[in-house]
Amino acid sequence: MKVTLFATCIVDLFQGNVGKATVELLERLGCEIEFPESQVCCGQPSYNSGYVNETKDAMKKMIDTFIDAEYVVSPSGSCAYMFHEYQHIFKGDPVWEPKAKKLAEKTYELTQFIVDVLKVEDVGARFDATVTYHTSCHMTRLLGVKEAPMTLLKNVKGLKFTELPGKEQCCGFGGTFAVKMAQISEQMVDEKVLHVEETGAEYLIGADAACLMNIGGRIERQGKPIKVMHIAEVLNSR
Amino acid sequence: MSMKIGEDKFKERVGKGIDNTFMRGAVAGAQERMGTRRENATEELGNWEEWRSHGEEIRKHVLENLDFYLEQLSENVAARGGHVFFAQTAAEANEYIQGVAKSKNAKKVVKAKSMVTEEISLNSALQQAGCEVIETDLGEYILQVDDHDPPSHIVVPALHKNKEQIRDVFAEKLGYQKTSKPEELALHARQKLREEFMSADIGITGCNFAVAETGSFSLVTNEGNADLVTSLPKTQITVMGMERLVPTFEEMEVLVSLLTRSSVGQKLTSYITVLTGPREELETDGPEEFHLVIVDNGRSSILGGEFQSVLNCIRCAACINVCPVYRQVGGHSYGSIYSGPIGAVLSPLLGGYDEFKELPYATTLCGACTEVCPVKIPLHELLHKHRQVIVEKEGRAPFAEKMAMKAFGMGASSPALYKLGTKFVPSVMSPFTDGDKISKGPGPLKLWTDSRDFPAPNKERFRDWFKNRDKGGKES
Ligand code: SF4
């Protein structure tokens, strides 16, 4: 099966390990990975800030980059959702709406792709640690992927899972919100870190690099002994 | 202006909210309690999503046929001997109500809880007309006694106060000498209020839903105060937002169910009162005179536009009760009597961007509000729409942001530029980098690194790793 990887700009620039783990994992599951060089950013930072028209060119570039893929897979729920959002943004546009629809139909978040398309629930991973999991807002509420990461984590050998209290609560990232409303964002991420600590887990796992960068950044600043890891890295551990 | 509370700037209000640890504890506790109750009450129905869709359909249908139903309502109220006044602005509504008060030579007005009367600042208008105004909802009463502290929540207006604070307020202002036990506090308020009810000239209520077909209106409460407001004084005035109506009792039943379950997690509240016109000949109680004041105050300009769905709102506060931002900053930070997600959408529409331009940014667009709204208002999408209007139609975005976004847009739409630009990220960032993290970032990144570390850029971009690997190069 041919998979076209939409790595996301955060992974490309800051979280290379997540990209590598995604590639290795999918290859082990029998996929052939392609990475189109012309991919840039899905446009969320400016789109979410209200610069809709200003972002359309970037979106069109992304649509053209991925339009002919068999499957588009991204290790980020939020960015994968953005590809689904394009069809609404281009609503009424005779050229771009149909194209955006086509793209949405084949775009998946990584765990969603593994469970729903590859029909794999046990990727054969081993991870000897106690972990908790942060359910990212866009992935669960907007993309609607709730079960897939749980299903996959449940089958990782050696992994002990503890539920995160207040898991449905946003971590306070929200793109430019984290800097525009820094005082509020800090309080939100603090509460999240507190909840993570309460679980006693050694690792906080998530499926969205941006949320992890936020929570992880705060954990590191506070010098807490909790490690943060993307679910691709856990599933790629043996 | 009317909806606005306090004079502090947004940042100062938020700062005060964040520093108020007691209030934040109260809000977090309330969110958890109400959240669990709401979840239980909605699950119990078994097909909540169908209920929501039905609720949304009803609201949509009403908004699309608002002229028709308003006319029908007015005719039916008039046919029962009531007076109807359509107020285009807050001032018009207040003038009319002042006029009624004067004609009745009213000295005392008792009120049931109503957000729309807060919105138009009716209390101060009545005071100007020489009336004493008494709020009779317990929460509103506490706030009124406490020198008109503004409400911080649309359903639980005194959510930000605990029982000890309430005892202190009562002791200072009312000479109360007992403990902070809720029962004792409530009893005290009840005794005080009883006297007020008996001597009031006019009763004023809001309206949960008016029923067009019969000219009735309903009040959904837990305290029973609204029933005294509507039965003891000789004159009754009901004030409603122009969108708060349903065609028949059938639709009212659906919306009341959605409201009580979403709002307080109850199947029904203790009192659901439906009233139709003034007292009739053979009836033993009820007002001799009834006035219905229908308030526009900016609503008709929302109709038919991209924000119309906000008028679906039935003021249940479910969105406020799940909002992670409200949780940290409390209601007063919004600077509007309408707080939380619904407040952040509605306040700029009714009160203008000048006063409320920050509110659409006080959200992570996490969608928690949209998920619970019983009438399916896409709240986070409307917040995003506000941002788009602020940036693209109003041109109010800060210059630096505009430039940054332009640069971003160019970079993001040009793979070549992106590739070139990002290639140098590690070296540009290297003065700020400390091992694998950045603790003191430049520019806007500083706002991030004030409280969080930021990852240092990959030494090798992922795309370069992938390319090298394809060429049989290094693997991690
Ligand atoms: S917007 Fe929806 S959830 Fe919020 S108060 Fe209105 S009806 Fe309730």
Side-chain angles (χ1 to χ4, degrees):
Chain A
M1 194 173 288
K2 239 199 174 119
V3 166
T4 306
L5 181 65
F6 163 30
T8 80
C9 52
I10 292 189
V11 166
D12 188 23
L13 299 179
F14 298 102
Q15 317 252 322
N17 291 343
V18 174
K20 295 173 197 171
T22 304
V23 170
E24 288 168 7
L25 173 65
L26 287 175
E27 282 180 345
R28 217 174 51 241
L29 297 174
C31 302
E32 192 186 319
I33 315 292
E34 182 189 75
F35 179 93
E37 281 275 319
S38 58
Q39 65 181 281
V40 182
C41 168
C42 65
Q44 275 196 83
S46 57
Y47 173 75
N48 284 347
S49 303
Y51 295 77
V52 175
N53 291 322
E54 202 95 60
T55 315
K56 281 189 175 160
D57 282 348
M59 299 185 205
K60 289 178 184 169
K61 273 271 153 17
M62 287 300 256
I63 294 175
D64 277 341
T65 298
F66 287 98
I67 192 83
D68 294 322
E70 192 180 339
Y71 290 101
V72 178
V73 175
S74 174
S76 158
S78 183
C79 305
Y81 175 72
M82 193 61 193
F83 273 18
H84 286 254
E85 179 76 10
Y86 286 176
Q87 55 189 317
H88 307 298
I89 301 169
F90 287 106
K91 203 172 175 80
D93 184 318
V95 178
W96 291 95
E97 187 186 0
K99 279 185 158 190
K101 264 208 173 99
K102 196 170 152 205
L103 175 63
E105 277 159 20
K106 53 184 160 196
T107 300
Y108 294 84
E109 179 278 331
L110 175 65
T111 62
Q112 178 189 30
F113 178 74
I114 296 175
V115 174
D116 292 353
V117 179
L118 298 182
K119 308 271 180 227
V120 172
E121 298 198 345
D122 183 349
V123 297
R126 167 160 213 111
F127 194 70
D128 290 300
T130 311
V131 311
T132 191
Y133 179 81
H134 170 64
T135 51
S136 296
C137 302
H138 286 183
M139 173 145 155
T140 48
R141 296 206 181 95
L142 304 184
L143 194 61
V145 180
K146 294 188 173 152
E147 296 306 321
M150 290 300 129
T151 307
L152 295 173
L153 285 179
K154 212 173 57 208
N155 290 317
V156 172
K157 282 169 208 63
L159 182 143
K160 279 193 275 319
F161 184 80
T162 71
E163 180 106 341
L164 184 62
K167 64 175 176 174
E168 67 293 333
Q169 255 170 45
C170 176
C171 69
F173 174 65
T176 49
F177 174 85
V179 291
K180 247 193 152 110
M181 296 278 161
Q183 22 164 198
I184 308 175
S185 174
E186 181 180 338
Q187 301 303 317
M188 291 168 76
V189 72
D190 264 359
E191 187 173 358
K192 185 58 72 187
V193 172
L194 222 65
H195 285 318
V196 174
E197 261 189 309
E198 271 170 41
T199 64
E202 299 157 77
Y203 285 85
L204 170 70
I205 311 298
D208 214 309
C211 309
L212 293 180
M213 197 165 84
N214 180 42
I215 311 172
R218 187 64 180 161
I219 288 178
E220 202 161 321
R221 174 58 57 86
Q222 295 177 328
K224 304 244 153 100
I226 305 156
K227 286 170 276 226
V228 172
M229 214 182 211
H230 190 278
I231 193 164
E233 297 173 279
V234 177
L235 298 176
N236 193 39
S237 300
R238 315 201 12 116
Chain B
M1 237 277 314
S2 42
M3 288 160 50
K4 194 180 152 204
I5 53 176
E7 290 302 325
D8 285 350
K9 293 231 161 9
F10 179 74
K11 276 226 158 71
E12 293 160 15
R13 297 197 302 262
V14 167
K16 280 188 192 166
I18 287 174
D19 289 340
N20 190 345
T21 39
F22 158 70
M23 177 276 292
R24 291 173 59 193
V27 168
Q31 280 199 333
E32 266 141 45
R33 275 194 314 279
M34 301 212 248
T36 317
R37 275 200 243 152
R38 179 185 44 77
E39 272 167 30
N40 294 341
T42 53
E43 265 164 34
E44 196 182 52
L45 282 174
N47 52 349
W48 181 242
E49 286 310 309
E50 282 169 43
W51 278 81
R52 288 179 79 208
S53 301
H54 194 27
E56 183 194 22
E57 274 164 33
I58 294 172
R59 294 301 299 143
K60 255 194 170 155
H61 171 79
V62 167
L63 294 178
E64 275 156 23
N65 300 280
L66 198 56
D67 295 2
F68 173 80
Y69 288 119
L70 279 173
E71 205 174 312
Q72 193 186 18
L73 174 72
S74 307
E75 277 167 12
N76 287 324
V77 171
R80 301 288 294 248
H83 306 273
V84 180
F85 180 72
F86 192 87
Q88 212 161 5
T89 62
E92 278 181 27
N94 287 334
E95 271 161 35
Y96 179 82
I97 297 168
Q98 283 171 328
V100 174
K102 280 189 190 140
S103 75
K104 296 285 145 193
N105 202 11
K107 295 278 163 286
K108 188 179 283 185
V109 174
V110 283
K111 276 183 72 208
K113 183 178 168 346
S114 145
M115 288 309 292
V116 69
T117 60
E118 295 270 356
E119 177 189 318
I120 62 174
S121 299
L122 177 60
N123 289 11
S124 55
L126 282 167
Q127 282 157 358
Q128 276 165 25
C131 296
E132 187 191 355
V133 185
I134 319 286
E135 293 287 353
T136 66
D137 169 84
L138 184 55
E140 292 282 1
Y141 178 67
I142 294 165
L143 296 179
Q144 190 178 38
V145 171
D146 190 15
D147 297 331
H148 308 278
D149 191 14
S152 68
H153 187 282
I154 60 173
V155 171
V156 195
L159 184 72
H160 57 287
K161 284 196 185 333
N162 70 0
K163 47 187 202 254
E164 283 73 29
Q165 289 170 316
I166 296 167
R167 181 206 48 213
D168 294 347
V169 170
F170 278 16
E172 190 195 327
K173 308 280 180 188
L174 304 173
Y176 175 76
Q177 289 175 342
K178 294 195 173 153
T179 70
S180 61
K181 263 203 199 138
E183 293 80 358
E184 286 181 0
L185 288 166
L187 186 63
H188 188 76
R190 194 186 164 105
Q191 282 161 349
K192 288 267 173 210
L193 286 171
R194 194 55 61 124
E195 295 159 20
E196 311 285 11
F197 283 123
M198 303 305 285
S199 55
D201 304 302
I202 296 181
I204 296 185
T205 73
C207 163
N208 285 102
F209 306 105
V211 181
E213 190 184 48
T214 59
S216 314
F217 75 98
S218 60
L219 293 168
V220 179
T221 74
N222 265 324
E223 292 173 18
N225 60 316
D227 298 74
L228 290 175
V229 169
T230 53
S231 52
L232 292 177
K234 286 201 171 131
T235 303
Q236 190 202 326
I237 303 171
T238 289
V239 187
M240 65 178 269
M242 68 183 278
E243 80 285 15
R244 302 298 292 273
L245 76 177
V246 289
T248 72
F249 276 85
E250 208 175 302
E251 290 83 16
M252 187 185 91
E253 194 227 306
V254 176
L255 294 186
V256 167
S257 291
L258 288 167
L259 173 63
T260 58
R261 286 174 195 264
S262 300
S263 181
V264 279
Q266 290 173 288
K267 278 187 207 161
L268 287 177
T269 46
S270 310
Y271 301 90
I272 292 171
T273 306
V274 184
L275 296 152
T276 313
R279 177 197 305 194
E280 292 196 351
E281 242 171 65
L282 295 174
E283 289 174 345
T284 51
D285 60 7
E288 288 167 9
E289 204 173 298
F290 174 73
H291 298 260
L292 178 66
V293 179
I294 302 171
V295 178
D296 179 336
N297 201 29
R299 287 163 174 76
S300 55
S301 50
I302 303 174
L303 269 177
E306 50 188 0
F307 291 97
Q308 174 171 306
S309 60
V310 77
L311 297 175
N312 286 1
C313 179
I314 57 173
R315 304 287 190 269
C316 73
C319 57
I320 303 177
N321 297 341
V322 295
C323 177
V325 170
Y326 180 91
R327 183 184 180 88
Q328 306 299 342
V329 302
H332 290 166
S333 296
Y334 290 80
S336 162
I337 56 151
Y338 297 115
S339 59
I342 178 63
V345 175
L346 192 59
S347 307
L349 292 170
L350 296 181
Y353 287 115
D354 279 341
E355 296 290 0
F356 300 113
K357 62 180 175 309
E358 293 95 349
L359 297 189
Y361 295 93
T363 161
T364 58
L365 304 176
C366 77
C369 45
T370 303
E371 191 177 51
V372 295
C373 177
V375 284
K376 290 199 167 178
I377 304 175
L379 289 152
H380 77 281
E381 290 175 18
L382 297 183
L383 287 165
H384 178 253
K385 207 155 257 169
H386 267 311
R387 295 181 182 183
Q388 191 184 353
V389 172
I390 289 172
V391 168
E392 292 179 350
K393 287 207 190 118
E394 301 261 317
R396 287 169 183 258
F399 181 74
E401 179 186 288
K402 261 190 272 183
M403 289 301 110
M405 292 301 171
K406 206 173 209 64
F408 172 85
M410 272 158 57
S413 56
S414 159
L417 203 59
Y418 170 90
K419 270 196 269 182
L420 190 70
T422 56
K423 205 174 175 65
F424 300 109
V425 167
S427 45
V428 170
M429 295 307 284
S430 70
F432 307 99
T433 307
D434 163 20
D436 57 356
K437 65 181 188 214
I438 298 168
S439 306
K440 278 200 178 60
L445 195 57
K446 181 180 176 299
L447 291 164
W448 174 284
T449 55
D450 277 347
S451 57
R452 283 157 287 215
D453 288 341
F454 194 80
N458 297 326
K459 295 215 169 51
E460 176 190 41
R461 288 175 306 185
F462 169 74
R463 62 177 63 225
D464 300 324
W465 171 83
F466 193 89
K467 201 151 80 195
N468 291 337
R469 176 177 172 273
D470 261 2
K471 286 186 207 140
K474 46 191 162 171
E475 230 189 310
S476 71

